[in-house]
Amino acid sequence: MGAMSVRSQSSESSESPEAAHRAGFACFVGRPNAGKSTLTNALVGQKVAITANQPQTTRHTVRGIVHRPDAQLILVDTPGLHKPRTLLGERLNDVVRTTWAEVDVIGFCLPANEKLGPGDRFIAKELAGIRKTPKVAIVTKTDLVDSKTLAEQLIAIDQLGKELGFEWAEIVPVSAVGDTQVSLLADLLVPLLPEGPALYPEGDLTDEPEQVMIAELIREAALEGVRDELPHSIAVVVEEMLPREDRPADKPLLDIHANLFIERPSQKGIIIGPKGKRLKDVGIKSRKQIEALLGTPVFLDLHVKVAKDWQRDPKQLRRLGF
């Protein structure tokens, strides 16, 4: 940075100060719980990706956008890569590989507090196959370890690259929770982006349609507390969003009708709960978050429906947006 500030004093820079603006796409990869979504939120400064302590919850490519005077960094959140067991799994893996090949930089998140395992190697091997894209190793959750453990992890990650025949563009320790080095990470990712104008207008934080984000918030609330019983056999579809008619302009109300799809009738009771209490809680919790997201009061109408074995049925998968 030092050299740049000197150069800007000279006369020749007066033509176009924004010549070196950069814009491009980055995606964070890593095992479930490696801190990808938390990092995305810390960089973007808003809750965009849906964090959850279970793999496969970020189903959609949620993009967070980091706006800076010198650059625009667009974060593409790919679903986790895992060994496919179902059609859904295979489809997710295809999405992952195409995304990796299309982005400008890949950030591989590795938690500081867990030794490198087979899951990390599996991903690193896949990364090694994508030659052109620069790869940054991001060591997350550094607030949970001492400096000796961190140093050992940094060395192990450096070795992992050498073993697989590629060089990390950077290895950066961060703690999104303590907000440590998060802006440094952005500083290091930006030079890896191509030069060019901003790709999205300043106000955009995410280009996901609102309905998808709303569906994710509802799904997230519905999974809370029942993850063990229904790890990811819930899909949510927002059927319609309509402003309530005959409301005064200063007191708008948005009606949102959404369906929660489960695979088997036996799961219905789990979601609805005794006397409908769970479903009511899901409604209250997700409504608050949706109102915060949209900035307007919402009436949320939730229904639970059975879509038999939707994870294995291509027609259902398409209808549910996968």
Side-chain angles (χ1 to χ4, degrees), residues 4-311:
M4 276 182 67
S5 55
V6 177
R7 203 171 58 221
S8 66
Q9 318 279 296
S10 71
S11 55
E12 63 198 335
S13 67
S14 57
E15 306 143 15
S16 62
E18 71 273 30
H21 184 279
R22 292 176 181 274
F25 296 84
C27 78
F28 293 148
V29 305
R31 282 184 294 123
N33 298 336
K36 302 182 291 280
S37 299
T38 315
L39 190 58
T40 301
N41 299 337
L43 276 164
V44 176
Q46 295 240 354
K47 187 167 177 184
V48 180
I50 308 298
T51 53
N53 52 7
Q54 197 72 5
Q56 277 191 323
T57 41
T58 321
R59 280 266 168 82
H60 299 275
T61 307
V62 180
R63 294 181 175 84
I65 301 175
V66 183
H67 295 281
R68 296 166 45 127
D70 59 333
Q72 187 177 63
L73 174 66
I74 299 139
L75 302 172
V76 188
D77 206 21
T78 51
L81 187 82
H82 51 90
K83 302 197 167 71
R85 282 188 305 278
T86 61
L87 179 67
L88 176 64
E90 276 168 36
R91 218 173 261 193
L92 286 174
N93 281 359
D94 291 343
V95 171
V96 172
R97 291 199 185 87
T98 7
T99 306
W100 288 4
E102 287 165 3
V103 295
D104 301 298
V105 54
I106 299 171
F108 185 12
C109 296
L110 297 132
N113 62 331
E114 295 173 32
K115 282 199 156 38
L116 298 186
D120 298 315
R121 282 177 192 287
F122 176 68
I123 296 173
K125 231 189 227 120
E126 291 282 335
L127 286 179
I130 295 169
R131 294 246 170 260
K132 286 203 194 67
T133 317
K135 303 157 203 47
V136 174
I138 304 166
V139 188
T140 57
K141 310 188 184 186
T142 54
D143 50 301
L144 302 178
V145 298
D146 58 23
S147 52
K148 183 173 171 290
T149 312
L150 179 58
E152 284 166 3
Q153 186 73 322
L154 295 174
I155 292 164
I157 290 168
D158 186 43
Q159 278 309 115
L160 180 64
K162 288 200 173 79
E163 237 170 85
L164 295 169
F166 68 88
E167 184 90 28
W168 298 107
E170 304 277 355
I171 300 179
V172 199
V174 297
S175 161
V177 177
D179 209 20
T180 313
Q181 305 243 84
V182 171
S183 57
L184 169 72
L185 173 63
D187 292 343
L188 293 171
L189 292 174
V190 163
L192 300 169
L193 304 177
E195 288 188 14
L199 301 166
Y200 287 85
E202 177 72 58
D204 288 11
L205 276 168
T206 171
D207 76 347
E208 270 302 303
E210 280 167 348
Q211 267 160 287
V212 173
M213 292 184 73
I214 289 166
E216 285 283 313
L217 288 171
I218 296 170
R219 187 163 178 274
E220 194 45 35
L223 275 172
E224 208 142 288
V226 295
R227 283 188 207 280
D228 304 339
E229 301 161 87
L230 307 171
H232 30 248
S233 43
I234 301 179
V236 176
V237 176
V238 174
E239 297 293 342
E240 56 176 17
M241 292 167 54
L242 296 166
R244 177 85 55 97
E245 296 191 358
D246 311 325
R247 297 279 294 196
D250 57 341
K251 289 213 172 79
L253 182 68
L254 187 65
D255 283 315
I256 298 179
H257 300 278
N259 289 327
L260 279 94
F261 289 97
I262 48 183
E263 293 189 284
R264 292 186 291 284
S266 60
Q267 299 170 332
K268 219 167 172 170
I270 302 174
I271 290 279
I272 294 173
K275 295 204 174 79
K277 188 181 173 324
R278 264 212 88 246
L279 188 63
K280 205 165 140 195
D281 291 346
V282 169
I284 293 168
K285 187 167 187 244
S286 50
R287 194 190 76 234
K288 283 197 184 114
Q289 293 186 312
I290 295 165
E291 291 180 337
L293 175 76
L294 302 177
T296 172
V298 161
F299 172 80
L300 183 59
D301 177 37
L302 288 183
H303 293 273
V304 180
K305 301 194 167 182
V306 178
K308 222 162 103 22
D309 289 333
W310 64 263
Q311 291 202 26

